[in-house]
Amino acid sequence: MGIEEKECTPSLAMVIIQVGYAGMNVLSKLAMDAGMSPFVLITYRQIIATFCILPVAFFLERKTQMKITTSVLFQIFLCSLFGATINQLLYFIGLKYSSPTIASALSNMLPAITFVMAIPFRMETVGIRTMAGQAKVAGTLICVGGSMLMTFYKGSLIKMFPSHIHWKYAEEMTAASVASPAAADHNLALGAALVVGSCFAGAIWYIIQAKLSKSFAYPYTSSAIMCAMAGVQCIIISVTVDRNTSKWALGWDIRLASAIYTGVIGSGLAVSLMSWCIQKRGPLFVSMFSPLLLVIVVILGWAILDEKLYVGSVTGSVLIVGGLYMVLWGKGKEEKKGSGKKGMEVEEVENGESLGIGLPLYASATSNGNEAQGGNKA
């Protein structure tokens, strides 16, 4: 039972993250519709997250014998640049110009993009002659096709029965931010493109984070440093883009609520848990839970924001999720094959030692097993 609970813990953590991200999408969209700059929102997010993670890192990892080298700091800097600053800025600006449902659906491209970008680093293999390799390639192409469909095809409105729990404030903010139909279509395409760009930045972060977790296995400390670095980066970018100090003011309104929520939940909790999950189960495991976010956001968008669904959005979402699970199915088949191969190597080692063949065979077998295991985890 203890082993089963240990195996389920990363899955439970990822479910909590997706629920938290769903709330963040809705609140952030409302704050930006109310006039809050995405640059300011992301900056507050990183600053608040830093102060949230620091106590956790201190109490949980203060007695460890960690060694923060220049190489580790550089890797954390790259994680902050791609995983926090670029990734989040592109996503939130894309969210501003699109909708929570579209942004959440397009973020499901992340596993496919991660798979493609991990190939040159030998963290993933194509294996086009195998069923698993063909599934991963086909799934990636389907994800791309779904994202293109969502971006450039709107289609007819899907009629749904009305929700009776609409948030009046949300309706007013959304209505006030609606532009002309032509401008709205242009903004939708721009927002979708920015969200896809954030997926590329996120994929780079996953790859770097996987490398970092092997050389510096302290997820809370690395997350705290990462958020602090990202906060400095966002301040520099925000001041460069817009020097209007009035945009930094926070009152007792949706802006303050969004800043606190994104900092505490969206970064403070999520980044720590994601770093831990990447360390335990690998980057592809983390990305496989993204469809859950889409389901939650669709429900919240319909129930609270009165968000409309169109044929293009729904069809594209289905294609993206279907392609995602094709990639994950192929990855799962490869992992099972790798585990079976590793088991055969261990059996050969045991037989070799019992026959007196000795150490050289043992060293060779375990070396190959470790290489295969490292590739599977990545």
PDB file of all heavy atoms in Angstrom, residues 87 105-116 143 198-206 274 284 286-287 290 320 324:
ATOM      1  N   ASN A  87       8.110  32.060 -21.252  1.00  0.00           N
ATOM      2  CA  ASN A  87       6.943  31.189 -21.322  1.00  0.00           C
ATOM      3  C   ASN A  87       5.692  31.901 -20.809  1.00  0.00           C
ATOM      4  O   ASN A  87       4.648  31.920 -21.467  1.00  0.00           O
ATOM      5  CB  ASN A  87       7.224  29.925 -20.503  1.00  0.00           C
ATOM      6  CG  ASN A  87       6.014  29.023 -20.402  1.00  0.00           C
ATOM      7  OD1 ASN A  87       5.195  28.944 -21.299  1.00  0.00           O
ATOM      8  ND2 ASN A  87       5.895  28.340 -19.285  1.00  0.00           N
ATOM      9  N   ALA A 105      -6.394  24.996 -24.577  1.00  0.00           N
ATOM     10  CA  ALA A 105      -6.357  23.954 -25.606  1.00  0.00           C
ATOM     11  C   ALA A 105      -5.016  23.942 -26.323  1.00  0.00           C
ATOM     12  O   ALA A 105      -4.410  22.880 -26.530  1.00  0.00           O
ATOM     13  CB  ALA A 105      -7.493  24.167 -26.602  1.00  0.00           C
ATOM     14  N   LEU A 106      -4.536  25.110 -26.702  1.00  0.00           N
ATOM     15  CA  LEU A 106      -3.264  25.176 -27.428  1.00  0.00           C
ATOM     16  C   LEU A 106      -2.081  24.772 -26.556  1.00  0.00           C
ATOM     17  O   LEU A 106      -1.066  24.288 -27.065  1.00  0.00           O
ATOM     18  CB  LEU A 106      -3.052  26.589 -27.977  1.00  0.00           C
ATOM     19  CG  LEU A 106      -3.960  26.988 -29.146  1.00  0.00           C
ATOM     20  CD1 LEU A 106      -3.762  28.449 -29.508  1.00  0.00           C
ATOM     21  CD2 LEU A 106      -3.690  26.114 -30.360  1.00  0.00           C
ATOM     22  N   SER A 107      -2.205  24.958 -25.246  1.00  0.00           N
ATOM     23  CA  SER A 107      -1.111  24.543 -24.359  1.00  0.00           C
ATOM     24  C   SER A 107      -0.928  23.028 -24.357  1.00  0.00           C
ATOM     25  O   SER A 107       0.114  22.525 -23.933  1.00  0.00           O
ATOM     26  CB  SER A 107      -1.367  25.041 -22.933  1.00  0.00           C
ATOM     27  OG  SER A 107      -2.506  24.414 -22.372  1.00  0.00           O
ATOM     28  N   ASN A 108      -1.931  22.291 -24.868  1.00  0.00           N
ATOM     29  CA  ASN A 108      -1.798  20.841 -24.973  1.00  0.00           C
ATOM     30  C   ASN A 108      -0.794  20.418 -26.040  1.00  0.00           C
ATOM     31  O   ASN A 108      -0.468  19.238 -26.153  1.00  0.00           O
ATOM     32  CB  ASN A 108      -3.156  20.202 -25.285  1.00  0.00           C
ATOM     33  CG  ASN A 108      -4.072  20.179 -24.084  1.00  0.00           C
ATOM     34  OD1 ASN A 108      -3.660  19.846 -22.990  1.00  0.00           O
ATOM     35  ND2 ASN A 108      -5.329  20.540 -24.281  1.00  0.00           N
ATOM     36  N   MET A 109      -0.330  21.360 -26.836  1.00  0.00           N
ATOM     37  CA  MET A 109       0.718  21.050 -27.799  1.00  0.00           C
ATOM     38  C   MET A 109       2.070  20.840 -27.140  1.00  0.00           C
ATOM     39  O   MET A 109       3.008  20.348 -27.772  1.00  0.00           O
ATOM     40  CB  MET A 109       0.843  22.181 -28.823  1.00  0.00           C
ATOM     41  CG  MET A 109      -0.295  22.297 -29.803  1.00  0.00           C
ATOM     42  SD  MET A 109       0.076  23.516 -31.068  1.00  0.00           S
ATOM     43  CE  MET A 109       1.514  22.778 -31.850  1.00  0.00           C
ATOM     44  N   LEU A 110       2.175  21.219 -25.881  1.00  0.00           N
ATOM     45  CA  LEU A 110       3.449  21.164 -25.186  1.00  0.00           C
ATOM     46  C   LEU A 110       4.120  19.784 -25.217  1.00  0.00           C
ATOM     47  O   LEU A 110       5.314  19.688 -25.486  1.00  0.00           O
ATOM     48  CB  LEU A 110       3.266  21.646 -23.744  1.00  0.00           C
ATOM     49  CG  LEU A 110       4.522  21.735 -22.870  1.00  0.00           C
ATOM     50  CD1 LEU A 110       5.589  22.588 -23.526  1.00  0.00           C
ATOM     51  CD2 LEU A 110       4.172  22.286 -21.502  1.00  0.00           C
ATOM     52  N   PRO A 111       3.394  18.672 -24.949  1.00  0.00           N
ATOM     53  CA  PRO A 111       4.065  17.364 -25.013  1.00  0.00           C
ATOM     54  C   PRO A 111       4.641  17.041 -26.385  1.00  0.00           C
ATOM     55  O   PRO A 111       5.748  16.504 -26.484  1.00  0.00           O
ATOM     56  CB  PRO A 111       2.950  16.384 -24.632  1.00  0.00           C
ATOM     57  CG  PRO A 111       1.981  17.185 -23.852  1.00  0.00           C
ATOM     58  CD  PRO A 111       2.011  18.542 -24.461  1.00  0.00           C
ATOM     59  N   ALA A 112       3.878  17.363 -27.446  1.00  0.00           N
ATOM     60  CA  ALA A 112       4.369  17.087 -28.796  1.00  0.00           C
ATOM     61  C   ALA A 112       5.603  17.926 -29.108  1.00  0.00           C
ATOM     62  O   ALA A 112       6.582  17.438 -29.693  1.00  0.00           O
ATOM     63  CB  ALA A 112       3.264  17.361 -29.817  1.00  0.00           C
ATOM     64  N   ILE A 113       5.576  19.194 -28.708  1.00  0.00           N
ATOM     65  CA  ILE A 113       6.730  20.063 -28.941  1.00  0.00           C
ATOM     66  C   ILE A 113       7.914  19.600 -28.102  1.00  0.00           C
ATOM     67  O   ILE A 113       9.064  19.610 -28.557  1.00  0.00           O
ATOM     68  CB  ILE A 113       6.361  21.529 -28.620  1.00  0.00           C
ATOM     69  CG1 ILE A 113       5.298  22.025 -29.606  1.00  0.00           C
ATOM     70  CG2 ILE A 113       7.590  22.430 -28.678  1.00  0.00           C
ATOM     71  CD1 ILE A 113       4.774  23.413 -29.306  1.00  0.00           C
ATOM     72  N   THR A 114       7.641  19.173 -26.868  1.00  0.00           N
ATOM     73  CA  THR A 114       8.713  18.644 -26.018  1.00  0.00           C
ATOM     74  C   THR A 114       9.360  17.431 -26.656  1.00  0.00           C
ATOM     75  O   THR A 114      10.593  17.285 -26.659  1.00  0.00           O
ATOM     76  CB  THR A 114       8.158  18.269 -24.631  1.00  0.00           C
ATOM     77  OG1 THR A 114       7.544  19.408 -24.035  1.00  0.00           O
ATOM     78  CG2 THR A 114       9.267  17.760 -23.722  1.00  0.00           C
ATOM     79  N   PHE A 115       8.539  16.535 -27.228  1.00  0.00           N
ATOM     80  CA  PHE A 115       9.057  15.343 -27.888  1.00  0.00           C
ATOM     81  C   PHE A 115       9.971  15.717 -29.048  1.00  0.00           C
ATOM     82  O   PHE A 115      11.082  15.191 -29.186  1.00  0.00           O
ATOM     83  CB  PHE A 115       7.885  14.489 -28.378  1.00  0.00           C
ATOM     84  CG  PHE A 115       8.246  13.501 -29.446  1.00  0.00           C
ATOM     85  CD1 PHE A 115       9.119  12.458 -29.183  1.00  0.00           C
ATOM     86  CD2 PHE A 115       7.718  13.626 -30.717  1.00  0.00           C
ATOM     87  CE1 PHE A 115       9.447  11.551 -30.174  1.00  0.00           C
ATOM     88  CE2 PHE A 115       8.038  12.725 -31.709  1.00  0.00           C
ATOM     89  CZ  PHE A 115       8.909  11.682 -31.441  1.00  0.00           C
ATOM     90  N   VAL A 116       9.540  16.658 -29.890  1.00  0.00           N
ATOM     91  CA  VAL A 116      10.332  17.056 -31.060  1.00  0.00           C
ATOM     92  C   VAL A 116      11.646  17.703 -30.629  1.00  0.00           C
ATOM     93  O   VAL A 116      12.720  17.395 -31.167  1.00  0.00           O
ATOM     94  CB  VAL A 116       9.517  18.009 -31.958  1.00  0.00           C
ATOM     95  CG1 VAL A 116      10.398  18.573 -33.072  1.00  0.00           C
ATOM     96  CG2 VAL A 116       8.323  17.285 -32.554  1.00  0.00           C
ATOM     97  N   CYS A 143      -1.472  17.125 -33.476  1.00  0.00           N
ATOM     98  CA  CYS A 143      -1.473  18.283 -32.562  1.00  0.00           C
ATOM     99  C   CYS A 143      -1.247  19.579 -33.330  1.00  0.00           C
ATOM    100  O   CYS A 143      -1.936  20.584 -33.095  1.00  0.00           O
ATOM    101  CB  CYS A 143      -0.392  18.115 -31.501  1.00  0.00           C
ATOM    102  SG  CYS A 143      -0.814  16.987 -30.167  1.00  0.00           S
ATOM    103  N   SER A 198       4.699  30.164 -26.452  1.00  0.00           N
ATOM    104  CA  SER A 198       4.965  29.862 -25.042  1.00  0.00           C
ATOM    105  C   SER A 198       5.205  28.367 -24.840  1.00  0.00           C
ATOM    106  O   SER A 198       5.958  27.967 -23.948  1.00  0.00           O
ATOM    107  CB  SER A 198       3.791  30.329 -24.169  1.00  0.00           C
ATOM    108  OG  SER A 198       2.664  29.476 -24.306  1.00  0.00           O
ATOM    109  N   CYS A 199       4.571  27.528 -25.671  1.00  0.00           N
ATOM    110  CA  CYS A 199       4.796  26.079 -25.580  1.00  0.00           C
ATOM    111  C   CYS A 199       6.236  25.724 -25.936  1.00  0.00           C
ATOM    112  O   CYS A 199       6.837  24.837 -25.321  1.00  0.00           O
ATOM    113  CB  CYS A 199       3.825  25.341 -26.496  1.00  0.00           C
ATOM    114  SG  CYS A 199       2.108  25.400 -25.964  1.00  0.00           S
ATOM    115  N   PHE A 200       6.793  26.396 -26.937  1.00  0.00           N
ATOM    116  CA  PHE A 200       8.188  26.151 -27.295  1.00  0.00           C
ATOM    117  C   PHE A 200       9.114  26.529 -26.138  1.00  0.00           C
ATOM    118  O   PHE A 200      10.066  25.804 -25.821  1.00  0.00           O
ATOM    119  CB  PHE A 200       8.555  26.949 -28.548  1.00  0.00           C
ATOM    120  CG  PHE A 200       8.129  26.297 -29.832  1.00  0.00           C
ATOM    121  CD1 PHE A 200       6.923  26.623 -30.421  1.00  0.00           C
ATOM    122  CD2 PHE A 200       8.934  25.347 -30.443  1.00  0.00           C
ATOM    123  CE1 PHE A 200       6.510  26.026 -31.600  1.00  0.00           C
ATOM    124  CE2 PHE A 200       8.542  24.736 -31.623  1.00  0.00           C
ATOM    125  CZ  PHE A 200       7.326  25.074 -32.211  1.00  0.00           C
ATOM    126  N   ALA A 201       8.831  27.676 -25.510  1.00  0.00           N
ATOM    127  CA  ALA A 201       9.641  28.081 -24.360  1.00  0.00           C
ATOM    128  C   ALA A 201       9.488  27.095 -23.213  1.00  0.00           C
ATOM    129  O   ALA A 201      10.464  26.748 -22.532  1.00  0.00           O
ATOM    130  CB  ALA A 201       9.245  29.490 -23.910  1.00  0.00           C
ATOM    131  N   GLY A 202       8.247  26.614 -22.991  1.00  0.00           N
ATOM    132  CA  GLY A 202       8.019  25.629 -21.939  1.00  0.00           C
ATOM    133  C   GLY A 202       8.728  24.319 -22.201  1.00  0.00           C
ATOM    134  O   GLY A 202       9.231  23.675 -21.277  1.00  0.00           O
ATOM    135  N   ALA A 203       8.787  23.901 -23.469  1.00  0.00           N
ATOM    136  CA  ALA A 203       9.479  22.664 -23.822  1.00  0.00           C
ATOM    137  C   ALA A 203      10.981  22.781 -23.539  1.00  0.00           C
ATOM    138  O   ALA A 203      11.609  21.839 -23.038  1.00  0.00           O
ATOM    139  CB  ALA A 203       9.243  22.327 -25.294  1.00  0.00           C
ATOM    140  N   ILE A 204      11.536  23.939 -23.846  1.00  0.00           N
ATOM    141  CA  ILE A 204      12.957  24.163 -23.540  1.00  0.00           C
ATOM    142  C   ILE A 204      13.192  24.094 -22.037  1.00  0.00           C
ATOM    143  O   ILE A 204      14.171  23.514 -21.555  1.00  0.00           O
ATOM    144  CB  ILE A 204      13.410  25.528 -24.100  1.00  0.00           C
ATOM    145  CG1 ILE A 204      13.326  25.525 -25.629  1.00  0.00           C
ATOM    146  CG2 ILE A 204      14.833  25.857 -23.649  1.00  0.00           C
ATOM    147  CD1 ILE A 204      13.612  26.867 -26.261  1.00  0.00           C
ATOM    148  N   TRP A 205      12.250  24.662 -21.275  1.00  0.00           N
ATOM    149  CA  TRP A 205      12.384  24.608 -19.814  1.00  0.00           C
ATOM    150  C   TRP A 205      12.347  23.176 -19.311  1.00  0.00           C
ATOM    151  O   TRP A 205      13.145  22.790 -18.461  1.00  0.00           O
ATOM    152  CB  TRP A 205      11.270  25.432 -19.151  1.00  0.00           C
ATOM    153  CG  TRP A 205      11.219  25.235 -17.668  1.00  0.00           C
ATOM    154  CD1 TRP A 205      12.268  25.333 -16.787  1.00  0.00           C
ATOM    155  CD2 TRP A 205      10.071  24.888 -16.878  1.00  0.00           C
ATOM    156  NE1 TRP A 205      11.837  25.071 -15.501  1.00  0.00           N
ATOM    157  CE2 TRP A 205      10.498  24.801 -15.525  1.00  0.00           C
ATOM    158  CE3 TRP A 205       8.736  24.662 -17.182  1.00  0.00           C
ATOM    159  CZ2 TRP A 205       9.630  24.489 -14.492  1.00  0.00           C
ATOM    160  CZ3 TRP A 205       7.867  24.363 -16.147  1.00  0.00           C
ATOM    161  CH2 TRP A 205       8.320  24.274 -14.820  1.00  0.00           C
ATOM    162  N   TYR A 206      11.409  22.361 -19.812  1.00  0.00           N
ATOM    163  CA  TYR A 206      11.308  20.971 -19.382  1.00  0.00           C
ATOM    164  C   TYR A 206      12.624  20.234 -19.604  1.00  0.00           C
ATOM    165  O   TYR A 206      13.088  19.471 -18.752  1.00  0.00           O
ATOM    166  CB  TYR A 206      10.198  20.251 -20.147  1.00  0.00           C
ATOM    167  CG  TYR A 206       8.810  20.518 -19.621  1.00  0.00           C
ATOM    168  CD1 TYR A 206       7.698  20.128 -20.357  1.00  0.00           C
ATOM    169  CD2 TYR A 206       8.598  21.154 -18.404  1.00  0.00           C
ATOM    170  CE1 TYR A 206       6.408  20.361 -19.891  1.00  0.00           C
ATOM    171  CE2 TYR A 206       7.326  21.384 -17.938  1.00  0.00           C
ATOM    172  CZ  TYR A 206       6.233  20.988 -18.679  1.00  0.00           C
ATOM    173  OH  TYR A 206       4.971  21.219 -18.206  1.00  0.00           O
ATOM    174  N   MET A 274       5.790  20.976  -9.852  1.00  0.00           N
ATOM    175  CA  MET A 274       6.212  20.534 -11.174  1.00  0.00           C
ATOM    176  C   MET A 274       7.682  20.154 -11.192  1.00  0.00           C
ATOM    177  O   MET A 274       8.070  19.156 -11.806  1.00  0.00           O
ATOM    178  CB  MET A 274       5.924  21.620 -12.213  1.00  0.00           C
ATOM    179  CG  MET A 274       4.456  21.780 -12.538  1.00  0.00           C
ATOM    180  SD  MET A 274       4.126  23.123 -13.690  1.00  0.00           S
ATOM    181  CE  MET A 274       4.847  22.453 -15.183  1.00  0.00           C
ATOM    182  N   LEU A 284       7.883  14.349 -19.651  1.00  0.00           N
ATOM    183  CA  LEU A 284       6.706  13.952 -20.415  1.00  0.00           C
ATOM    184  C   LEU A 284       5.544  13.599 -19.491  1.00  0.00           C
ATOM    185  O   LEU A 284       4.382  13.847 -19.809  1.00  0.00           O
ATOM    186  CB  LEU A 284       7.039  12.771 -21.324  1.00  0.00           C
ATOM    187  CG  LEU A 284       6.070  12.561 -22.495  1.00  0.00           C
ATOM    188  CD1 LEU A 284       6.099  13.764 -23.423  1.00  0.00           C
ATOM    189  CD2 LEU A 284       6.396  11.298 -23.263  1.00  0.00           C
ATOM    190  N   VAL A 286       4.847  15.060 -16.699  1.00  0.00           N
ATOM    191  CA  VAL A 286       4.261  16.332 -16.266  1.00  0.00           C
ATOM    192  C   VAL A 286       3.334  16.894 -17.334  1.00  0.00           C
ATOM    193  O   VAL A 286       2.226  17.358 -17.042  1.00  0.00           O
ATOM    194  CB  VAL A 286       5.387  17.335 -15.933  1.00  0.00           C
ATOM    195  CG1 VAL A 286       4.811  18.730 -15.702  1.00  0.00           C
ATOM    196  CG2 VAL A 286       6.154  16.886 -14.698  1.00  0.00           C
ATOM    197  N   SER A 287       3.761  16.826 -18.577  1.00  0.00           N
ATOM    198  CA  SER A 287       2.977  17.435 -19.647  1.00  0.00           C
ATOM    199  C   SER A 287       1.723  16.644 -20.000  1.00  0.00           C
ATOM    200  O   SER A 287       0.810  17.174 -20.622  1.00  0.00           O
ATOM    201  CB  SER A 287       3.844  17.610 -20.901  1.00  0.00           C
ATOM    202  OG  SER A 287       4.328  16.358 -21.341  1.00  0.00           O
ATOM    203  N   SER A 290      -1.979  18.023 -19.077  1.00  0.00           N
ATOM    204  CA  SER A 290      -2.510  19.285 -19.586  1.00  0.00           C
ATOM    205  C   SER A 290      -3.942  19.200 -20.101  1.00  0.00           C
ATOM    206  O   SER A 290      -4.684  20.184 -20.004  1.00  0.00           O
ATOM    207  CB  SER A 290      -1.579  19.847 -20.671  1.00  0.00           C
ATOM    208  OG  SER A 290      -1.326  18.887 -21.669  1.00  0.00           O
ATOM    209  N   ILE A 320      -6.097  18.067 -30.887  1.00  0.00           N
ATOM    210  CA  ILE A 320      -4.902  18.270 -30.064  1.00  0.00           C
ATOM    211  C   ILE A 320      -4.829  17.234 -28.951  1.00  0.00           C
ATOM    212  O   ILE A 320      -3.782  16.624 -28.713  1.00  0.00           O
ATOM    213  CB  ILE A 320      -4.885  19.701 -29.488  1.00  0.00           C
ATOM    214  CG1 ILE A 320      -4.646  20.719 -30.612  1.00  0.00           C
ATOM    215  CG2 ILE A 320      -3.795  19.840 -28.429  1.00  0.00           C
ATOM    216  CD1 ILE A 320      -4.759  22.159 -30.167  1.00  0.00           C
ATOM    217  N   LEU A 324      -2.162  14.310 -28.578  1.00  0.00           N
ATOM    218  CA  LEU A 324      -1.382  14.227 -27.338  1.00  0.00           C
ATOM    219  C   LEU A 324      -1.330  12.799 -26.815  1.00  0.00           C
ATOM    220  O   LEU A 324      -0.260  12.277 -26.490  1.00  0.00           O
ATOM    221  CB  LEU A 324      -2.008  15.146 -26.285  1.00  0.00           C
ATOM    222  CG  LEU A 324      -1.573  14.918 -24.832  1.00  0.00           C
ATOM    223  CD1 LEU A 324      -0.108  15.262 -24.655  1.00  0.00           C
ATOM    224  CD2 LEU A 324      -2.434  15.723 -23.883  1.00  0.00           C
TER     225      LEU A 324
END
